[in-house]
Amino acid sequence: MSALLLVDGYNVIGAWQRLQRLRDRHGLEAARTELIELLSNYSAYQGYATNLVFDAQYRATPGQQEQVTEQLVVSYTDPEQTADTYIEMTCANHRDELRSSRRRVIVATSDRAQQLTVIGFGAEWMSTHRLAQDVETSIQKVKQWQVEQRRKHQPKTLGSRLDDRVRRQLEYWRRQP
């Protein structure tokens, strides 16, 4: 059973200090780009189909969707629609699948009213704080895995582990008469 993760984008940007600082220093677009990057990696790691939803309040264009990766879609709502209503409609559209346990839907937001509404549809709720922790944990696990892979594939000879300066010095001594 695949899980669908719905993320209220501006709610997350407003809740994560890392993204707040980025938004305040470099603008909203920089914070959006960083969040997209983080969720792209997180979604791939978790195997979630993720829909990152941004309100149209900061855009004058009609709603649109952008497929960023196989797992991540970024949705911008229509000008008169909020991310909350978009997420609620998505949960309502999956109501039958949720009730029959054929689909798992997780909504990441810190909006209390939103939390109660999506739970009423049968979706799971995840706080933005919990999402931040999960994203950070996945980053650390991937880094740890990469280190282990490098170690595994690193040659086992002493010479392959030597610093270049030490290797040159040994080679110099070896060639001395």
Side-chain angles (χ1 to χ4, degrees), residues 36-47 69 72 138-139 142:
I36 289 168
E37 180 71 25
L38 290 167
L39 289 180
S40 173
N41 295 328
Y42 175 72
S43 298
Y45 179 80
Q46 293 291 354
T69 66
L72 179 65
S138 70
I139 289 169
V142 167

Side-chain angles (χ1 to χ4, degrees), residues 153-171:
H153 294 88
Q154 196 174 41
K156 304 293 185 222
T157 65
L158 176 62
S160 66
R161 295 183 187 161
L162 293 177
D163 173 275
D164 282 342
R165 185 182 56 79
V166 172
R167 189 178 296 119
R168 282 192 305 272
Q169 183 64 47
L170 288 172
E171 183 63 24

